[in-house]
Coordinates of all heavy atoms in Angstrom, one line a residue:
M15 N 0.8 -1.2 0.0 CA 0.0 0.0 0.0 C 0.9 1.2 0.0 O 1.9 1.3 0.7 CB -0.9 0.0 1.2 CG -1.8 1.1 1.3 SD -2.9 1.1 2.7 CE -3.9 -0.4 2.3
S16 N 0.5 2.2 -0.8 CA 1.4 3.4 -0.9 C 1.2 4.3 0.4 O 0.2 4.2 1.1 CB 1.0 4.2 -2.1 OG -0.2 4.9 -1.9
E17 N 2.1 5.2 0.5 CA 2.1 6.1 1.7 C 0.9 7.0 1.6 O 0.2 7.3 2.7 CB 3.4 6.9 1.7 CG 3.5 7.8 3.0 CD 4.8 8.5 3.0 OE1 5.7 8.2 2.2 OE2 4.9 9.3 3.9
A18 N 0.5 7.4 0.5 CA -0.7 8.3 0.3 C -2.0 7.6 0.8 O -2.8 8.2 1.5 CB -0.9 8.8 -1.1
S19 N -2.2 6.4 0.3 CA -3.4 5.7 0.7 C -3.4 5.4 2.2 O -4.4 5.4 2.9 CB -3.6 4.4 -0.1 OG -2.5 3.5 0.1
T20 N -2.2 5.2 2.8 CA -2.1 5.0 4.2 C -2.5 6.3 5.0 O -3.2 6.2 6.0 CB -0.7 4.6 4.6 OG1 -0.4 3.4 4.0 CG2 -0.6 4.4 6.1
L21 N -2.1 7.4 4.5 CA -2.4 8.7 5.1 C -3.9 8.9 5.1 O -4.5 9.4 6.1 CB -1.7 9.8 4.4 CG -0.2 9.9 4.6 CD1 0.4 11.0 3.8 CD2 0.2 10.1 6.1
F22 N -4.6 8.6 3.9 CA -6.0 8.8 3.9 C -6.7 7.8 4.8 O -7.7 8.2 5.5 CB -6.5 8.6 2.4 CG -6.3 9.8 1.5 CD1 -5.4 9.8 0.5 CD2 -7.0 11.0 1.8 CE1 -5.2 10.9 -0.3 CE2 -6.8 12.1 1.0 CZ -5.9 12.1 -0.1
R23 N -6.3 6.6 4.8 CA -6.9 5.6 5.6 C -6.8 5.9 7.1 O -7.7 5.7 7.8 CB -6.3 4.2 5.3 CG -7.0 3.0 5.9 CD -6.5 1.7 5.3 NE -5.1 1.7 5.3 CZ -4.3 1.1 6.2 NH1 -4.8 0.5 7.2 NH2 -3.0 1.1 6.1
R24 N -5.7 6.4 7.5 CA -5.5 6.8 8.9 C -6.1 8.2 9.2 O -6.1 8.7 10.3 CB -4.0 6.9 9.2 CG -3.4 5.5 9.3 CD -2.0 5.6 9.7 NE -1.3 4.4 9.6 CZ 0.0 4.2 9.7 NH1 0.8 5.2 9.9 NH2 0.5 3.0 9.7
Q25 N -6.7 8.8 8.2 CA -7.3 10.1 8.3 C -6.3 11.2 8.7 O -6.7 12.1 9.4 CB -8.6 10.1 9.2 CG -9.6 9.2 8.6 CD -10.9 9.2 9.3 OE1 -10.9 9.6 10.5 NE2 -11.9 8.7 8.7
L26 N -5.1 11.1 8.3 CA -4.1 12.1 8.6 C -4.3 13.3 7.6 O -3.9 14.4 7.9 CB -2.7 11.6 8.5 CG -2.4 10.5 9.6 CD1 -1.0 9.9 9.3 CD2 -2.5 11.0 11.0
I27 N -4.9 13.0 6.5 CA -5.3 14.0 5.5 C -6.8 14.0 5.5 O -7.4 13.0 5.1 CB -4.7 13.7 4.1 CG1 -3.2 13.6 4.2 CG2 -5.2 14.7 3.1 CD1 -2.6 13.2 2.9
P28 N -7.5 15.0 5.9 CA -8.9 15.0 6.0 C -9.6 15.0 4.6 O -9.0 15.5 3.7 CB -9.3 16.3 6.8 CG -8.1 17.2 6.5 CD -6.9 16.3 6.4
P29 N -10.7 14.4 4.5 CA -11.5 14.4 3.2 C -12.0 15.8 3.0 O -12.1 16.6 3.9 CB -12.6 13.4 3.4 CG -12.8 13.3 4.9 CD -11.5 13.6 5.5
P30 N -12.3 16.2 1.8 CA -12.8 17.5 1.5 C -14.2 17.7 2.1 O -14.9 16.7 2.3 CB -12.9 17.6 0.0 CG -12.9 16.2 -0.5 CD -12.2 15.4 0.5
P31 N -14.6 18.9 2.4 CA -15.9 19.1 3.0 C -17.0 18.7 2.0 O -16.8 18.8 0.8 CB -16.0 20.6 3.2 CG -14.6 21.1 3.0 CD -13.8 20.1 2.3
P32 N -18.1 18.2 2.5 CA -19.3 17.9 1.6 C -19.7 19.1 0.8 O -19.7 20.2 1.2 CB -20.4 17.5 2.6 CG -19.7 17.1 3.9 CD -18.5 18.0 3.9
G33 N -19.9 18.8 -0.5 CA -20.4 19.9 -1.4 C -19.3 20.7 -2.1 O -19.5 21.5 -2.9
L34 N -18.0 20.4 -1.7 CA -16.9 21.2 -2.2 C -16.7 20.9 -3.7 O -16.4 21.8 -4.5 CB -15.6 20.9 -1.5 CG -14.3 21.7 -2.0 CD1 -14.5 23.2 -1.9 CD2 -13.1 21.2 -1.3
Y35 N -16.9 19.7 -4.1 CA -16.8 19.3 -5.5 C -18.1 18.7 -6.0 O -18.2 17.5 -6.2 CB -15.7 18.2 -5.7 CG -14.3 18.7 -5.2 CD1 -13.8 18.2 -4.0 CD2 -13.6 19.6 -5.9 CE1 -12.6 18.6 -3.5 CE2 -12.4 20.1 -5.4 CZ -11.9 19.5 -4.2 OH -10.7 20.0 -3.8
P36 N -19.1 19.5 -6.2 CA -20.4 19.0 -6.7 C -20.3 18.5 -8.1 O -19.6 19.1 -9.0 CB -21.3 20.2 -6.6 CG -20.4 21.4 -6.8 CD -19.1 21.0 -6.1
G37 N -21.0 17.4 -8.4 CA -21.0 16.8 -9.7 C -22.3 17.0 -10.3 O -23.4 16.9 -9.7
E38 N -22.3 17.4 -11.6 CA -23.6 17.6 -12.3 C -23.9 16.4 -13.2 O -25.1 16.2 -13.5 CB -23.4 18.9 -13.2 CG -23.3 20.1 -12.4 CD -23.1 21.4 -13.2 OE1 -23.2 21.3 -14.5 OE2 -22.7 22.4 -12.7
R39 N -22.9 15.7 -13.6 CA -23.2 14.5 -14.4 C -21.9 13.6 -14.4 O -20.9 14.0 -13.9 CB -23.5 14.9 -15.8 CG -22.4 15.6 -16.5 CD -22.9 16.2 -17.8 NE -21.9 17.2 -18.3 CZ -21.1 17.0 -19.3 NH1 -21.1 15.8 -19.9 NH2 -20.3 17.9 -19.7
T40 N -22.1 12.4 -14.9 CA -21.0 11.4 -14.9 C -20.4 11.4 -16.3 O -21.2 11.4 -17.3 CB -21.5 10.0 -14.5 OG1 -22.1 10.1 -13.2 CG2 -20.4 9.0 -14.5
I41 N -19.1 11.3 -16.4 CA -18.4 11.2 -17.7 C -17.8 9.9 -17.7 O -17.0 9.5 -16.9 CB -17.3 12.3 -17.8 CG1 -18.0 13.7 -17.8 CG2 -16.5 12.1 -19.1 CD1 -17.0 14.9 -17.9
G42 N -18.1 9.1 -18.8 CA -17.7 7.7 -18.8 C -16.2 7.5 -19.2 O -15.5 6.8 -18.5
G43 N -15.7 8.2 -20.2 CA -14.3 8.0 -20.6 C -14.1 6.8 -21.5 O -15.0 6.2 -22.0
V44 N -12.8 6.6 -21.6 CA -12.3 5.5 -22.5 C -11.3 4.6 -21.6 O -10.9 5.0 -20.6 CB -11.6 6.0 -23.7 CG1 -12.5 6.8 -24.6 CG2 -10.4 6.8 -23.4
R45 N -11.1 3.4 -22.1 CA -10.2 2.5 -21.4 C -8.8 2.5 -22.1 O -8.7 1.9 -23.2 CB -10.8 1.1 -21.3 CG -10.0 0.2 -20.4 CD -10.7 -0.7 -19.5 NE -11.9 -0.2 -18.8 CZ -12.0 0.4 -17.7 NH1 -10.9 0.7 -17.0 NH2 -13.1 0.7 -17.1
G46 N -7.8 3.1 -21.5 CA -6.5 3.1 -22.1 C -6.2 4.1 -23.2 O -7.2 4.6 -23.8
Y47 N -5.0 4.5 -23.4 CA -4.6 5.5 -24.4 C -4.9 5.0 -25.8 O -5.2 5.8 -26.7 CB -3.2 5.9 -24.3 CG -2.9 6.8 -23.1 CD1 -2.1 6.3 -22.0 CD2 -3.5 8.0 -23.0 CE1 -1.8 7.1 -20.9 CE2 -3.2 8.8 -21.9 CZ -2.4 8.4 -20.9 OH -2.2 9.2 -19.8
D48 N -4.9 3.7 -26.1 CA -5.2 3.2 -27.4 C -6.6 3.5 -27.8 O -6.9 3.5 -29.0 CB -4.9 1.7 -27.5 CG -3.4 1.4 -27.4 OD1 -2.6 2.3 -27.7 OD2 -3.1 0.3 -27.1
A49 N -7.5 3.8 -26.9 CA -8.9 4.0 -27.2 C -9.2 5.5 -27.5 O -10.3 5.9 -27.7 CB -9.8 3.5 -26.0
V50 N -8.2 6.3 -27.4 CA -8.4 7.8 -27.6 C -8.3 8.0 -29.1 O -7.3 7.9 -29.8 CB -7.3 8.6 -26.9 CG1 -7.5 10.1 -27.3 CG2 -7.3 8.4 -25.4
G51 N -9.5 8.2 -29.7 CA -9.6 8.4 -31.1 C -10.5 9.6 -31.4 O -10.7 10.5 -30.5
E52 N -11.1 9.7 -32.6 CA -11.9 10.8 -33.0 C -13.1 11.0 -32.1 O -13.3 12.2 -31.7 CB -12.3 10.7 -34.4 CG -11.2 10.8 -35.4 CD -10.4 12.1 -35.4 OE1 -11.1 13.2 -35.2 OE2 -9.2 12.1 -35.5
A53 N -13.8 10.0 -31.7 CA -14.9 10.1 -30.8 C -14.5 10.6 -29.5 O -15.2 11.5 -28.9 CB -15.7 8.8 -30.7
A54 N -13.4 10.1 -28.9 CA -13.0 10.6 -27.6 C -12.5 12.0 -27.7 O -12.8 12.8 -26.7 CB -11.8 9.7 -27.1
L55 N -11.9 12.4 -28.7 CA -11.4 13.8 -28.9 C -12.6 14.7 -29.0 O -12.6 15.8 -28.5 CB -10.5 14.0 -30.0 CG -9.1 13.2 -29.9 CD1 -8.3 13.3 -31.2 CD2 -8.4 13.8 -28.7
A56 N -13.7 14.3 -29.7 CA -14.9 15.1 -29.8 C -15.5 15.2 -28.4 O -16.0 16.3 -28.1 CB -15.9 14.5 -30.8
R57 N -15.5 14.2 -27.7 CA -16.1 14.2 -26.3 C -15.3 15.2 -25.5 O -15.8 16.0 -24.7 CB -16.1 12.9 -25.7 CG -16.8 12.8 -24.3 CD -16.8 11.5 -23.7 NE -17.2 10.5 -24.6 CZ -16.9 9.2 -24.5 NH1 -16.2 8.8 -23.5 NH2 -17.3 8.3 -25.4
F58 N -13.9 15.2 -25.6 CA -13.1 16.1 -24.9 C -13.4 17.6 -25.3 O -13.5 18.4 -24.4 CB -11.6 15.9 -25.2 CG -10.7 16.9 -24.7 CD1 -10.4 17.0 -23.4 CD2 -10.2 17.9 -25.6 CE1 -9.5 18.0 -22.9 CE2 -9.3 18.9 -25.1 CZ -9.0 18.9 -23.8
E59 N -13.6 17.8 -26.5 CA -14.0 19.2 -27.0 C -15.3 19.6 -26.4 O -15.5 20.8 -26.0 CB -14.1 19.3 -28.5 CG -12.7 19.2 -29.2 CD -11.8 20.4 -28.9 OE1 -12.3 21.5 -28.7 OE2 -10.6 20.1 -28.8
E60 N -16.3 18.7 -26.3 CA -17.6 19.0 -25.7 C -17.6 19.2 -24.2 O -18.1 20.1 -23.6 CB -18.6 17.9 -26.1 CG -20.0 18.2 -25.6 CD -21.0 17.1 -26.1 OE1 -20.8 16.6 -27.2 OE2 -21.9 16.8 -25.3
D61 N -16.9 18.2 -23.5 CA -16.9 18.2 -22.0 C -15.8 19.0 -21.4 O -15.9 19.4 -20.2 CB -16.8 16.8 -21.6 CG -18.0 15.9 -21.9 OD1 -19.1 16.5 -22.2 OD2 -17.8 14.7 -22.0
G62 N -14.7 19.3 -22.1 CA -13.6 20.0 -21.5 C -12.6 19.1 -20.8 O -11.7 19.5 -20.2
C63 N -12.9 17.8 -20.8 CA -12.0 16.8 -20.1 C -12.3 15.5 -20.7 O -13.3 15.2 -21.4 CB -12.2 16.8 -18.6 SG -13.8 16.2 -18.1
L64 N -11.3 14.6 -20.5 CA -11.5 13.2 -21.0 C -10.9 12.3 -20.0 O -9.8 12.4 -19.6 CB -10.8 13.0 -22.4 CG -10.8 11.6 -22.9 CD1 -12.2 11.2 -23.3 CD2 -9.9 11.5 -24.1
V65 N -11.7 11.4 -19.5 CA -11.3 10.4 -18.5 C -10.7 9.2 -19.3 O -11.3 8.6 -20.2 CB -12.5 9.9 -17.7 CG1 -12.1 8.7 -16.7 CG2 -13.1 11.0 -16.9
V66 N -9.4 8.9 -18.9 CA -8.8 7.7 -19.5 C -8.6 6.7 -18.4 O -7.6 6.8 -17.6 CB -7.4 8.1 -20.2 CG1 -6.8 6.9 -20.9 CG2 -7.7 9.2 -21.3
H67 N -9.4 5.7 -18.3 CA -9.3 4.7 -17.3 C -8.1 3.8 -17.6 O -7.7 3.6 -18.8 CB -10.5 3.8 -17.3 CG -11.8 4.5 -17.0 ND1 -12.2 4.8 -15.7 CD2 -12.8 5.0 -17.8 CE1 -13.3 5.5 -15.7 NE2 -13.7 5.6 -17.0
D68 N -7.4 3.4 -16.6 CA -6.2 2.5 -16.7 C -5.1 3.2 -17.6 O -4.4 2.5 -18.3 CB -6.6 1.1 -17.3 CG -7.6 0.4 -16.5 OD1 -7.5 0.5 -15.3 OD2 -8.4 -0.3 -17.1
A69 N -5.0 4.5 -17.5 CA -4.0 5.2 -18.2 C -2.6 4.8 -17.6 O -1.6 4.8 -18.3 CB -4.2 6.7 -18.1
F70 N -2.5 4.6 -16.3 CA -1.3 4.2 -15.6 C -1.5 3.0 -14.8 O -2.6 2.8 -14.3 CB -0.8 5.4 -14.7 CG -0.6 6.7 -15.5 CD1 -1.6 7.7 -15.4 CD2 0.5 6.9 -16.2 CE1 -1.4 8.9 -16.1 CE2 0.7 8.1 -16.9 CZ -0.3 9.1 -16.9
T71 N -0.5 2.2 -14.6 CA -0.6 1.0 -13.8 C -0.6 1.5 -12.3 O -0.2 2.6 -12.0 CB 0.6 0.1 -14.0 OG1 1.8 0.7 -13.5 CG2 0.7 -0.3 -15.4
P72 N -1.2 0.6 -11.4 CA -1.1 1.0 -10.0 C 0.3 1.2 -9.5 O 0.5 2.1 -8.7 CB -1.8 -0.2 -9.3 CG -2.7 -0.8 -10.3 CD -2.0 -0.6 -11.6
A73 N 1.3 0.5 -10.0 CA 2.7 0.7 -9.6 C 3.2 2.1 -10.1 O 3.9 2.7 -9.3 CB 3.5 -0.4 -10.2
E74 N 2.8 2.5 -11.2 CA 3.2 3.8 -11.7 C 2.6 4.9 -10.9 O 3.3 5.9 -10.5 CB 2.8 4.0 -13.2 CG 3.6 3.2 -14.2 CD 3.0 3.2 -15.6 OE1 1.8 3.3 -15.7 OE2 3.8 3.2 -16.5
V75 N 1.3 4.8 -10.5 CA 0.7 5.8 -9.7 C 1.3 5.8 -8.3 O 1.6 6.9 -7.8 CB -0.8 5.5 -9.6 CG1 -1.5 6.5 -8.6 CG2 -1.5 5.7 -10.9
A76 N 1.6 4.7 -7.7 CA 2.2 4.6 -6.4 C 3.6 5.2 -6.4 O 3.9 5.9 -5.5 CB 2.3 3.1 -5.9
G77 N 4.3 5.0 -7.5 CA 5.7 5.6 -7.6 C 5.6 7.1 -7.6 O 6.4 7.8 -7.0
V78 N 4.7 7.6 -8.4 CA 4.5 9.1 -8.4 C 4.1 9.7 -7.1 O 4.7 10.7 -6.6 CB 3.5 9.5 -9.6 CG1 3.2 11.0 -9.5 CG2 4.1 9.2 -10.9
V79 N 3.1 9.1 -6.5 CA 2.7 9.5 -5.2 C 3.8 9.5 -4.1 O 4.0 10.4 -3.4 CB 1.4 8.7 -4.7 CG1 1.1 9.0 -3.2 CG2 0.2 9.0 -5.6
D80 N 4.5 8.4 -4.1 CA 5.6 8.2 -3.1 C 6.7 9.3 -3.4 O 7.3 9.9 -2.5 CB 6.2 6.8 -3.2 CG 5.2 5.8 -2.6 OD1 4.3 6.2 -1.9 OD2 5.4 4.6 -2.8
G81 N 7.0 9.5 -4.7 CA 8.0 10.5 -5.0 C 7.6 11.9 -4.6 O 8.4 12.7 -4.1
L82 N 6.3 12.3 -4.8 CA 5.8 13.6 -4.4 C 5.8 13.7 -2.9 O 6.2 14.8 -2.4 CB 4.4 13.8 -5.0 CG 4.3 14.1 -6.4 CD1 2.8 14.1 -6.9 CD2 4.9 15.4 -6.8
L83 N 5.4 12.7 -2.2 CA 5.4 12.7 -0.7 C 6.8 12.9 -0.2 O 7.1 13.6 0.8 CB 4.7 11.5 -0.2 CG 3.2 11.5 -0.3 CD1 2.6 10.1 0.1 CD2 2.5 12.6 0.4
D84 N 7.8 12.2 -0.9 CA 9.2 12.3 -0.5 C 9.6 13.8 -0.7 O 10.3 14.3 0.2 CB 10.0 11.4 -1.4 CG 11.4 11.3 -0.9 OD1 11.6 11.0 0.2 OD2 12.3 11.5 -1.8
L85 N 9.3 14.4 -1.8 CA 9.6 15.8 -2.0 C 9.0 16.7 -0.9 O 9.6 17.6 -0.4 CB 9.3 16.3 -3.4 CG 10.1 15.8 -4.5 CD1 9.5 16.2 -5.9 CD2 11.5 16.2 -4.4
I86 N 7.7 16.5 -0.7 CA 7.0 17.3 0.2 C 7.5 17.2 1.6 O 7.6 18.2 2.4 CB 5.5 17.0 0.2 CG1 4.9 17.4 -1.1 CG2 4.7 17.6 1.4 CD1 3.5 16.8 -1.3
S87 N 8.0 16.0 2.0 CA 8.6 15.8 3.3 C 9.9 16.5 3.6 O 10.3 16.6 4.7 CB 8.8 14.3 3.6 OG 9.9 13.8 2.8
G88 N 10.5 17.0 2.5 CA 11.7 17.8 2.7 C 13.0 17.0 2.6 O 14.1 17.4 3.0
S89 N 12.9 15.7 2.1 CA 14.0 14.9 2.1 C 15.1 15.3 1.0 O 16.2 14.9 1.1 CB 13.6 13.4 1.7 OG 13.1 13.4 0.4
N90 N 14.7 16.2 0.1 CA 15.6 16.7 -0.9 C 15.8 18.2 -0.6 O 14.9 19.0 -1.0 CB 15.1 16.4 -2.3 CG 16.1 17.0 -3.4 OD1 17.0 17.7 -3.1 ND2 15.8 16.6 -4.6
P91 N 16.9 18.6 0.0 CA 17.0 20.1 0.3 C 17.1 21.0 -0.9 O 16.8 22.2 -0.8 CB 18.3 20.1 1.1 CG 19.0 18.8 0.9 CD 18.0 17.8 0.4
E92 N 17.4 20.4 -2.1 CA 17.4 21.3 -3.3 C 16.0 21.6 -3.8 O 15.9 22.5 -4.6 CB 18.3 20.6 -4.3 CG 19.8 20.5 -3.9 CD 20.6 19.9 -5.0 OE1 20.2 19.8 -6.1 OE2 21.7 19.3 -4.6
F93 N 15.1 20.8 -3.4 CA 13.7 21.0 -3.9 C 13.1 22.2 -3.2 O 12.9 22.2 -2.0 CB 12.8 19.8 -3.7 CG 11.4 20.0 -4.2 CD1 11.1 20.1 -5.6 CD2 10.4 20.1 -3.3 CE1 9.8 20.3 -6.0 CE2 9.1 20.2 -3.7 CZ 8.8 20.3 -5.1
K94 N 12.7 23.3 -3.9 CA 12.2 24.5 -3.3 C 10.7 24.7 -3.6 O 10.2 25.7 -3.4 CB 13.0 25.7 -3.8 CG 14.4 25.6 -3.6 CD 14.8 25.6 -2.1 CE 16.3 25.6 -2.0 NZ 16.8 25.1 -0.7
G95 N 10.1 23.6 -4.1 CA 8.7 23.7 -4.5 C 8.5 23.8 -6.0 O 9.5 24.0 -6.7
P96 N 7.3 23.7 -6.4 CA 7.0 23.8 -7.9 C 7.3 25.2 -8.4 O 7.1 26.2 -7.7 CB 5.5 23.5 -8.0 CG 5.0 23.7 -6.7 CD 6.0 23.5 -5.7
E97 N 7.8 25.3 -9.6 CA 8.1 26.6 -10.2 C 7.1 27.0 -11.1 O 6.4 26.3 -11.8 CB 9.5 26.5 -10.9 CG 10.6 26.2 -9.9 CD 11.9 26.1 -10.6 OE1 12.1 26.5 -11.7 OE2 12.9 25.6 -9.9

């Protein structure tokens, strides 16, 4: 389990307040980058976003989250925040 999911599970990072991210509708998306074609691009133009399910493996996501948490924790003194 990644460090981020552990923080959420232990409630060290509080969930957002109810109503902060209201949804008006559900966007289905496509499965994987190979499914991004003309229809998906038209949906992107209409909706302003495109959900790509399974775009990254769980290991890739965990690696990115762990890397960001490592930077945020201050383990790299040269990192001064996003530019």
Side-chain angles (χ1 to χ4, degrees):
M15 181 176 296
S16 75
E17 187 176 350
S19 59
T20 301
L21 292 173
F22 280 111
R23 193 168 42 100
R24 292 184 184 169
Q25 296 185 345
L26 298 175
I27 300 174
L34 180 61
Y35 302 109
E38 296 177 8
R39 61 192 166 103
T40 301
I41 297 176
V44 297
R45 186 138 325 269
Y47 286 116
D48 290 339
V50 177
E52 292 299 321
L55 294 175
R57 187 178 313 156
F58 171 76
E59 290 295 327
E60 182 178 323
D61 295 336
C63 64
L64 177 64
V65 176
V66 181
H67 299 281
D68 300 325
F70 303 100
T71 67
E74 289 171 324
V75 173
V78 169
V79 169
D80 291 342
L82 287 172
L83 290 173
D84 189 54
L85 287 174
I86 292 168
S87 73
S89 65
N90 181 349
E92 294 180 22
F93 179 71
K94 304 296 183 203
E97 294 180 14

